Amino acid sequence: MNESGKRIRKAVLESDKCVACGCCRKVCPASLITLREVVR
């Protein structure tokens, strides 16, 4: 909890499970998630 008593929520990325579908970006209330192309 922060100093005002509100719960702090933080997203955690599991890169080994990510398929870059963009679903997390669509539902992020703060629009802070971006996807970039990664060559593997």
Side-chain angles (χ1 to χ4, degrees):
M1 291 191 180
N2 64 15
E3 60 275 351
S4 65
K6 290 188 177 182
R7 242 163 107 185
I8 298 172
R9 295 173 48 181
K10 183 178 179 182
V12 177
L13 171 67
E14 294 184 27
S15 59
D16 60 323
K17 295 180 181 178
C18 177
V19 294
C21 66
C23 287
C24 58
R25 183 176 53 99
K26 292 175 187 171
V27 298
C28 178
S31 298
L32 296 175
I33 299 173
T34 59
L35 298 177
R36 63 179 182 197
E37 187 174 342
V38 176
V39 179
R40 293 184 184 191

